[in-house]
Amino acid sequence: MNMHAGNEVAFRDEIADFCKKNLDPEVRRLSDLGLPVGEAALLEWQTKLVARGWGAPSWEEKWGGSGWDMRTLFIFEEEMAAHGAPLVGTFNIKMIGPILQAHGTPEQQAHYLPKALSFEHAWCQGYSEPGAGSDLASLQTRAERDGDDYIVNGTKIWTSGGHLANHMFCLVRTSREGRRQAGISFLLIDLETPGISQRPVHHFYGAHVFNQFFFDNVRVPVANRVGKENAGWDIAKSLLEHERLFSARHTEARRKLGRLERLSKDVRIHGRPAIEDPQFRDDLAKRKIELRALENATMRALERLVDDGGIGPFASVLKLRGIEVNQRLDRAIVQLLGPDALPAQAAWEDGALNAFVPDEARNAAESRYWWRGPAIAGGSQEVQRSIITKHILNL
Amino acid sequence: MRFAASEDEIMVEDMLDRALREARDRAPHVDGHAPRPDPDVLREQLGSLGLWGGWLPEAAGGADGGPRLLMTLARGLGRVPTYHGLIGGCVLPGAILAGTARQDALDLTARLVAGEMPVAVAVLEPGTRWDFEMPVTQAEPDGDGYRLTGVKSHVAEGATAEVFLVSARDGAGVSLFLVPAGSDGLTVSPFPATDGTTWAMIRAEGVRVPASSRLIGPDDGLAALERAFTLAAFAAAAESLGSCEAALTQTLEYLRTREQFGQPLATKQALQFRVADLHVDIEMLRSQVLGAANALADGYSGRARSDVAAAMALAVQTGDLVGREAIHLHGAIGMTRELGVGYHLLRADVLSRWLGSAEHFRAKLMDLEEHAQ
């Protein structure tokens, strides 16, 4: 199915209906609050999506994809987020799946794709290292040939969800000659392999998202290399173009705005609902306007994507502003809550806050803290500014 | 509705750019100041090309170009410093006059379309900022006509207008009267605004007008004003977009060529990041102006009005920021009229003082959204 103006409304309704019928209200509540919904709930949701044929819409149809065009894919993801569907298996569905379809051998595809779709495999991404962040090409983890294996030594860090994963796709150095980018290969590593150890790296406010992995003479079959030796850099860069629209993070911002608007009717300032307070109203209007402009910018980008097949450095504009919009919304929520944003996550677990603090306060402060991260990851805000300067403004 | 410019729109942009460039090249250099096109010649040329009033409906002498054409026109004019008079001389009176079926109104509209500026809209009053809902100016029945008394402040294109559209309290409502500039009891006092444009204060002391001079009202007067000022705000947002684009382009060119400490300014990361942020702000303004144009093209709805309010709130904020940054990034030469880049700050300020601050448009957006629910 592909989108024309006429059936877009029907398609959006179909998604809304599916979510209403299949999404556990508790899961929806947690994902609206920006909280993790738990592994069991994610698996259950993915199973329902797969049954409906929506488990990996961007994939080729023979692997369980939908065959939709880019506009339809965009609408699907936007509508899913709008109805509180949790983001499932980003590394499985949006990263390793498309990469294997584009660059994997038939054997790799047949072995890994079904397991990525069913979540039998849970993937994590091994790109960053302690000495290689925004300057990823300086990575040092090395893989040396030994017969039919590579021997991998080194360390990977900032591995989101690594403690929940059983497989890692990984960039390793296989050559020190020529350009730094030209000596990197793309490996698939089973995390059960001997010689791998892992430690949690806690966020400054306590959450366990990041991990560090250590590789000590880890044997990885050469058959687990995706693409040619030393061709890993371009493979890692080949993110699907339609995913670049989501660098605007506008669906998450839309959910935050919903939360802020609900709170603005309940929280009182000088005895009146906050929505009647002139200063709060002005602040809320700022948030609404900048999000609306961001959404229009995203629709412009979608139009360009459909017309030209790509959006080029405009993705940097979307990312830069999208993160700022999300961060400002989080701050507005916390400021409106005032003391109700004081309890930590753990305080919600024993019910002590029930009836004292609105449920919408849950995870408000932690979300603000978590959102410092996206401004650093995937090319920091400053890297995006440099891209704009060089590739758009031609300075 | 699409965001990207259509082939027709690209053609219009090219025509406009050519006309503006030629007008600027013909303009005299006075005292070494940056040249400004002669506004009368420019308007006549744009009128004869069918661009000036092309956004108006065909029934009113336009080309049915609608908000998309108005956006293209206003944005193009924003790119070249010029006292064009589009909003005060064409958009405001055109929107009001085209909403009536009267022959005298349509005759005036035909002149607007040709690039003349016979009509000015006199609505603002002293000390009331942008609240035109409750004018103090009063229309009292007087025989078979009315007697108008009151003060109208900051009338755009008022110094040269032949006739004013004056808002006045009329019983329980507000009406709009056509009042000739030469009427007995009407005093017109021209003054210059900070961007170099000429405005007027108007005092009506018992000005007698016939019953037929009441063009709109008293029941639908405010709605007509609201609609006209929505379109004016939309045009102003589009003009600000053009103004910001031009200011940034000029600034980038300067950064590439100006050398300090032995290197072009463009190599300094502190300056690169400032212009990168300006670019992001301008992209957001562009996106919202396009969104508002498309919403307005679908009809004058609550959503369209709130999209215009959002566009103008962004335009005021972004116009001010880009205007200040363009001056600063040029250094001392940015302060001069000789270079003229400061025009963009002057213009951003005047549009905001006249039509509403960012706070004003944010409050409007909130009210519109609440009433939509």
Side-chain angles (χ1 to χ4, degrees):
Chain A
M1 179 190 55
N2 288 315
M3 277 300 113
H4 305 287
N7 57 14
E8 182 180 322
V9 176
F11 183 52
R12 286 188 188 270
D13 287 348
E14 192 184 340
I15 298 163
D17 195 50
F18 178 83
C19 290
K20 205 181 292 171
K21 285 194 182 117
N22 292 285
L23 196 56
D24 180 343
E26 175 65 8
V27 170
R28 180 182 178 151
R29 201 176 64 88
L30 289 173
S31 70
D32 272 341
L33 292 171
L35 282 165
V37 301
E39 295 312 290
L42 280 184
L43 182 61
E44 192 190 326
W45 180 237
Q46 175 66 5
T47 306
K48 285 177 180 169
L49 288 174
V50 170
R52 181 69 181 74
W54 290 352
S58 64
W59 291 14
E60 292 164 27
E61 283 173 88
K62 66 173 170 178
W63 300 116
S66 65
W68 292 337
D69 65 11
M70 287 186 282
R71 178 178 289 274
T72 311
L73 284 170
F74 177 80
I75 291 165
F76 176 77
E77 301 203 9
E78 198 177 63
E79 208 61 32
M80 277 284 169
H83 291 91
L87 271 180
V88 281
T90 302
F91 293 126
N92 282 34
I93 305 300
K94 297 186 177 175
M95 306 283 294
I96 195 62
I99 283 173
L100 285 174
Q101 287 168 70
H103 305 283
T105 63
E107 294 75 25
Q108 287 170 339
Q109 293 174 345
H111 178 68
Y112 288 111
L113 288 174
K115 293 185 170 74
L117 181 65
S118 69
F119 284 15
E120 184 181 332
H121 288 172
W123 288 89
C124 63
Q125 172 185 284
Y127 287 2
S128 296
E129 296 179 5
S134 285
D135 180 17
L136 186 59
S138 64
L139 62 90
Q140 296 296 329
T141 294
R142 63 187 191 280
E144 282 152 343
R145 276 295 278 270
D146 182 37
D148 288 339
D149 291 335
Y150 284 110
I151 310 292
V152 177
N153 280 287
T155 178
K156 291 288 173 183
I157 197 167
W158 320 128
T159 317
S160 290
H163 55 302
L164 306 169
N166 50 28
H167 284 73
M168 175 188 280
F169 55 92
C170 200
L171 290 179
V172 293
R173 184 155 296 287
T174 39
S175 166
R176 297 193 178 277
E177 283 165 33
R179 286 173 68 240
R180 296 180 307 163
Q181 288 85 348
I184 292 171
S185 297
F186 195 102
L187 285 190
L188 309 176
I189 301 181
D190 182 340
L191 292 175
E192 297 295 319
T193 315
I196 300 176
S197 57
Q198 167 256 339
R199 71 170 185 102
V201 181
H202 290 101
H203 272 45
F204 63 91
Y205 60 92
H208 178 197
V209 179
F210 292 154
N211 300 274
Q212 183 171 12
F213 283 83
F214 302 92
F215 300 88
D216 181 14
N217 290 318
V218 175
R219 281 194 171 268
V220 179
V222 172
N224 281 18
R225 190 188 69 221
V226 179
K228 293 201 170 74
E229 192 166 84
N230 299 326
W233 182 257
D234 287 334
I235 292 172
K237 274 203 320 188
S238 65
L239 188 59
L240 286 181
E241 272 294 332
H242 94 268
E243 294 301 342
R244 288 157 60 88
L245 296 183
F246 285 89
S247 44
R249 312 294 289 257
H250 64 292
T251 55
E252 286 144 293
R254 180 52 65 184
R255 279 153 87 161
K256 287 175 188 175
L257 181 66
R259 190 174 177 185
L260 182 61
E261 288 185 303
R262 286 193 295 279
L263 277 169
S264 73
K265 296 186 181 97
D266 296 338
V267 175
R268 292 177 165 255
I269 298 175
H270 301 308
R272 305 288 311 157
I275 188 68
E276 295 174 22
D277 179 76
Q279 199 182 329
F280 175 79
R281 272 176 88 82
D282 191 51
D283 198 41
L284 178 61
K286 283 184 192 167
R287 304 288 80 83
K288 286 166 87 92
I289 290 169
E290 66 191 13
L291 176 55
R292 195 181 285 189
L294 179 70
E295 287 172 337
N296 275 318
T298 309
M299 294 310 287
R300 270 178 69 204
L302 172 63
E303 185 178 287
R304 220 156 102 186
L305 181 61
V306 173
D307 287 354
D308 308 339
I311 62 170
F314 194 69
S316 294
V317 172
L318 294 179
K319 180 171 193 277
L320 198 54
R321 183 50 47 92
I323 286 166
E324 288 170 352
V325 166
N326 271 281
Q327 290 180 339
R328 289 179 200 144
L329 277 162
D330 274 339
R331 190 180 56 191
I333 290 168
V334 172
Q335 280 180 336
L336 179 60
L337 283 165
D340 281 349
L342 201 151
Q345 243 339 285
W348 293 92
E349 279 154 23
D350 60 8
L353 301 175
N354 291 348
F356 292 103
V357 180
D359 206 45
E360 299 276 5
R362 192 169 170 184
N363 196 44
E366 283 90 346
S367 175
R368 174 169 121 84
Y369 302 143
W370 187 87
W371 270 89
R372 305 321 300 166
I376 300 165
S380 68
Q381 299 291 74
E382 287 65 36
V383 170
Q384 307 306 327
R385 287 189 177 94
S386 296
I387 292 171
I388 291 169
T389 307
K390 195 169 154 197
H391 298 291
I392 301 178
L393 303 180
N394 301 315
L395 283 189
Chain B
M1 179 80 60
R2 286 173 55 82
F3 287 89
S6 67
E7 277 179 32
D8 283 355
E9 285 169 343
I10 291 169
M11 202 176 72
V12 167
E13 275 177 34
D14 289 347
M15 274 163 71
L16 194 58
D17 280 350
R18 204 164 45 240
L20 285 163
R21 222 177 16 249
E22 283 167 13
R24 188 179 47 190
D25 292 346
R26 278 198 308 270
H29 284 252
V30 181
D31 299 339
H33 294 174
R36 300 279 167 84
D38 179 326
D40 294 327
V41 176
L42 179 68
R43 274 191 298 272
E44 196 188 320
Q45 191 187 356
L46 295 179
S48 68
L49 289 170
L51 294 181
W52 189 252
W55 57 275
L56 280 160
E58 273 179 37
D64 247 342
R68 290 285 297 223
L69 183 60
L70 180 56
M71 170 185 74
T72 307
L73 175 66
R75 177 177 163 214
L77 287 168
R79 288 200 189 122
V80 177
T82 170
Y83 306 137
H84 53 74
L86 176 73
I87 297 171
C90 183
V91 175
L92 275 177
I96 294 169
L97 294 169
T100 75
R102 274 172 50 162
Q103 192 54 49
D104 56 344
L106 292 180
D107 290 345
L108 284 169
T109 316
R111 291 179 61 197
L112 294 185
V113 170
E116 293 181 54
M117 296 205 296
V119 194
V121 176
V123 168
L124 303 182
E125 294 190 352
T128 57
R129 305 218 309 171
W130 307 288
D131 304 330
F132 51 70
E133 288 81 3
M134 291 196 296
V136 173
T137 298
Q138 181 85 30
E140 285 166 306
D142 183 51
D144 58 352
Y146 299 90
R147 192 177 282 279
L148 301 178
T149 304
V151 177
K152 292 291 174 182
S153 50
H154 314 302
V155 181
E157 317 312 330
T160 50
E162 298 164 23
V163 57
F164 293 96
L165 266 168
V166 179
S167 68
R169 191 152 9 146
D170 180 5
V174 172
S175 294
L176 290 166
F177 296 89
L178 278 167
V179 183
S183 303
D184 280 344
L186 192 73
T187 316
V188 179
S189 315
F191 72 95
T194 45
D195 68 343
T197 49
T198 305
W199 300 57
M201 298 290 184
I202 291 170
R203 178 183 297 276
E205 287 169 301
V207 175
R208 270 198 50 84
V209 290
S212 63
S213 74
R214 188 170 76 180
L215 187 68
I216 298 175
D219 298 333
D220 49 358
L222 278 182
L225 281 179
E226 189 63 55
R227 199 177 175 124
F229 274 87
T230 298
L231 209 58
F234 168 68
E239 185 186 330
S240 289
L241 171 62
S243 183
C244 288
E245 290 168 343
L248 182 60
T249 301
Q250 192 177 350
T251 302
L252 292 171
E253 195 46 44
Y254 188 76
L255 295 182
R256 284 187 202 106
T257 48
R258 169 73 169 170
E259 292 195 5
Q260 290 284 273
F261 305 104
Q263 282 181 316
L265 290 177
T267 59
K268 310 287 181 200
Q269 198 176 47
L271 307 185
Q272 290 176 355
F273 281 12
R274 283 173 87 148
V275 288
D277 282 336
L278 296 183
H279 174 76
V280 173
D281 281 332
I282 294 172
E283 282 293 358
M284 293 301 130
L285 174 59
R286 193 194 324 279
S287 302
Q288 187 55 37
V289 168
L290 283 162
N294 290 350
L296 273 176
D298 279 346
Y300 179 70
S301 61
R303 169 70 198 205
R305 290 168 69 194
S306 85
D307 266 329
V308 170
M312 188 55 179
L314 280 182
V316 170
Q317 201 176 304
T318 308
D320 176 63
L321 176 67
V322 174
R324 284 185 283 119
E325 290 285 87
I327 294 168
H328 183 84
L329 291 167
H330 274 87
I333 194 71
M335 291 296 293
T336 66
R337 185 171 278 199
E338 199 175 314
L339 181 75
V341 78
Y343 165 84
H344 298 288
L345 180 61
L346 297 175
R347 189 60 185 160
D349 261 13
V350 160
L351 289 174
S352 162
R353 305 286 172 266
W354 175 23
L355 297 169
S357 63
E359 291 80 359
H360 170 80
F361 283 104
R362 290 198 288 265
K364 195 178 257 307
L365 174 119
M366 293 299 291
D367 291 345
L368 282 164
E369 298 225 323
E370 277 170 1
H371 289 131
Q373 280 166 10

